Amino acid sequence: MAPRAYWKGTLKLSLVSCPVVLYPATTSAEKTRFHMINRETGNRLKQQMVDSETGDIVESDQKGRGYELRKGKYVEIEPEELEAVQIESNHTIDIESFVPSEEIDQRYLNHPYYIAPEGKAAIDAFAVIRDAMKDEGRVALAKIVLTNREHIIAIEPLGKGLLGTTLRFPYELRDEGEFFDDIKTPKITKDMVELAGHILQTKAAHFDPGKFKDEYETALKALVKRKASGKAIELPEREEKPSNVVSLMDALKQSLKGSGKKTAAKSHGRRTTGGRRAAKKTQRSTARQRKAS
């Protein structure tokens, strides 16, 4: 069964348009989730809203929205007032510009969506927009309204379809200066940097998300399965980690030890082989000289 579309509308590039559908590219359906239960009855618990001052339970018809002006002082906003400022969706993704992908700061990337054509009639226009983006090597920027909020969405080709990623607004990002300005500039030697570079080379690889393993999720599933079958859960004893204090240079050298042995073994093997060959040549040369005399 095909997944249910999250959003339906039209993708527009100037006068070229085509119906499209959006699907969330991520899911948390496989993650292990827990509910709060009553230990005595085993029944699931329900949450209730309680007045922070009186402790009374607040019924649904008494609930409202308020913005905190100052500590404990709120201005109430009515549902109709919220509706007045909400942006009505015209269900259109109107491409405004194309930018080089490397110019998009990855901190702005938010939620990914798959964009596919809706219906056979949309395939031609969809393919034209997709293939033109492939040829130009650029990412489209457009506006889209999702859940009554306007978002900027970055669109790029992905296989036969398109990948749309909503972007955060600048006010949602924290200034890195708040966290990095106090970092001191230490004096490190060139040898340290070169050793670290060698360690990086020994761990060089290609990005392969198939190798990512969620060990905690695996352990949770095993825990639930074991507990549900009535088996006892053995709690591991916490091991105290040794507090070995070593210098940065020593740590770098020890990190390279393993790979260094392999490299040394290879070069030693080459030297040994070369030495044997040289010894054989010397023996043959001495034998010829004896024969000649």
Side-chain angles (χ1 to χ4, degrees), residues 23-231:
Y23 303 98
T26 60
T27 177
S28 58
E30 297 299 317
K31 281 190 175 292
T32 302
R33 297 181 182 278
F34 296 100
H35 297 289
M36 298 300 293
I37 61 170
N38 184 336
R39 285 179 179 271
E40 293 184 1
T41 65
N43 298 329
R44 183 174 173 180
L45 300 179
K46 290 184 178 181
Q47 290 184 328
Q48 290 181 313
M49 291 292 185
V50 178
D51 189 298
S52 61
E53 295 296 326
T54 66
D56 296 336
I57 296 174
V58 179
E59 302 299 333
S60 58
D61 60 343
Q62 295 176 299
K63 296 175 186 176
R65 293 174 183 267
Y67 181 84
E68 191 172 22
L69 297 174
R70 57 183 182 274
K71 188 68 175 177
K73 180 65 175 178
Y74 298 87
V75 57
E76 187 176 352
I77 305 297
E78 299 295 338
E80 308 83 53
E81 294 169 332
L82 279 176
E83 290 177 7
V85 297
Q86 285 177 353
I87 299 173
E88 187 177 348
S89 175
N90 58 6
H91 288 273
T92 301
I93 305 175
D94 200 348
I95 297 175
E96 298 182 348
S97 61
F98 293 89
V99 300
S101 59
E102 61 271 14
E103 289 186 5
I104 299 178
D105 188 331
Q106 296 206 7
R107 292 175 297 175
Y108 284 91
L109 301 178
N110 200 0
H111 296 297
Y113 295 91
Y114 294 138
I115 305 176
E118 185 182 25
K120 294 181 179 179
I123 293 177
D124 288 350
F126 183 87
V128 166
I129 297 173
R130 179 199 63 206
D131 293 350
M133 291 174 65
K134 281 183 182 178
D135 291 345
E136 294 297 324
R138 287 186 170 242
V139 175
L141 295 182
K143 288 182 179 180
I144 185 173
V145 177
L146 300 171
T147 60
N148 299 319
R149 274 187 174 267
E150 189 174 61
H151 300 268
I152 305 299
I153 188 168
I155 304 170
E156 56 188 314
L158 180 66
K160 294 181 179 180
L162 294 171
L163 174 67
T165 307
T166 55
L167 303 181
R168 296 182 177 92
F169 289 101
Y171 72 83
E172 295 180 272
L173 286 187
R174 292 175 172 176
D175 181 10
E176 70 273 14
E178 296 178 28
F179 311 95
F180 299 159
D181 284 350
D182 291 337
I183 298 177
K184 306 299 181 185
T185 304
K187 290 183 179 179
I188 53 175
T189 65
K190 186 179 179 182
D191 290 342
M192 289 182 179
V193 178
E194 288 179 351
L195 279 171
H198 289 313
I199 296 171
L200 265 63
Q201 290 172 14
T202 63
K203 294 182 177 293
H206 293 283
F207 181 72
D208 181 8
K211 293 181 178 179
F212 298 168
K213 304 298 180 186
D214 190 341
E215 302 292 349
Y216 182 64
E217 180 64 25
T218 303
L220 279 180
K221 283 183 167 58
L223 170 65
V224 172
K225 185 177 180 181
R226 188 174 180 84
K227 195 74 184 281
S229 63
K231 296 179 180 178

